[in-house]
Amino acid sequence: IFTPAVAAVVVTVYLIAQPITHPLNRLVRVSQAVAEGNLSQRTGIVSADEIGRLAVTFDEMTRRLAERTRTLEETLSRLRAILSSIGDGVVLEDRQGNFIPLNAAAETLLRQMAPEFGYSPLREVSLEQSEQPSGLQPSPWLLECRRFQVGNGGMYDHVAVVRIGDGELLGRGIW
């Protein structure tokens, strides 16, 4: 009598646990896939209990995340197109003083200037010591206008502070 009773209890517990553990396992697998970047995954769980509501909420969150990701990718694509179409070199000087080219013109400019760095350091020349090109007018949104000289070559740049959404300083944009 004892053995069949234990077997009946084990089978009953197993049958009761399946409707709970199966959706939870599915939710875990889908959340891992989403965490790895697969935003097309959905739980597909339809249930009126707490697990069902959790799954619906998770699926909605994943759908919104995928939508925002698409929007960000489109915006980034537009920004890259704008930067690549600018004829002047656009460089970001990060907080450590490293120059990061943001468009092809900046890469070309830095590549052309690179051999000069071996013979002559990059030095800043005050605007009073140099002839300012015509049309170079101060702008209220610019931080400053500077002139650099490397070897016999020189370049003017405009500098503006670059901050990210929460106001954190990213660096200075130079063009």
Side-chain angles (χ1 to χ4, degrees):
I1 284 185
F2 180 72
T3 303
V6 169
V9 168
V10 169
V11 169
T12 303
V13 168
Y14 177 78
L15 292 174
I16 291 173
Q18 280 303 304
I20 297 169
T21 59
H22 181 71
L24 285 175
N25 287 334
R26 174 78 180 141
L27 192 57
V28 167
R29 283 193 309 275
V30 171
S31 66
Q32 288 171 335
V34 169
E36 291 172 1
N38 186 351
L39 299 179
S40 65
Q41 290 288 310
R42 299 296 183 268
T43 63
I45 298 170
V46 180
S47 176
D49 61 5
E50 291 82 6
I51 293 173
R53 289 195 307 264
L54 177 62
V56 167
T57 303
F58 183 83
D59 288 346
E60 178 62 18
M61 178 187 67
T62 304
R63 185 193 63 75
R64 288 182 184 178
L65 182 59
E67 185 178 300
R68 287 184 181 159
T69 300
R70 266 191 307 281
T71 302
L72 286 173
E73 287 171 348
E74 289 170 4
T75 302
L76 183 59
S77 177
R78 287 186 190 118
L79 289 174
R80 284 184 178 145
I82 291 168
L83 278 172
S84 68
S85 69
I86 295 174
D88 293 330
V90 180
V91 177
L92 177 69
E93 180 183 10
D94 67 15
R95 291 185 287 180
Q96 290 75 33
N98 301 312
F99 291 104
I100 303 165
L102 298 179
N103 63 358
E107 290 174 5
T108 301
L109 177 66
L110 292 176
R111 194 171 27 257
Q112 288 172 348
M113 292 176 66
E116 299 285 337
F117 282 112
Y119 307 108
S120 175
L122 176 70
R123 65 184 182 92
E124 189 166 352
V125 179
S126 72
L127 291 175
E128 291 81 33
Q129 294 175 340
S130 65
E131 282 187 34
Q132 216 168 328
S134 62
L136 189 63
Q137 300 296 323
S139 174
W141 55 272
L142 292 176
L143 178 65
E144 58 189 305
C145 180
R146 301 184 322 193
R147 183 176 195 284
F148 292 97
Q149 184 172 350
V150 178
N152 295 328
M155 69 175 187
Y156 285 92
D157 70 8
H158 301 279
V159 180
V161 172
V162 179
R163 297 188 184 278
I164 52 179
D166 62 356
E168 179 186 344
L169 177 67
L170 184 61
R172 299 186 304 170
I174 303 172
W175 65 97

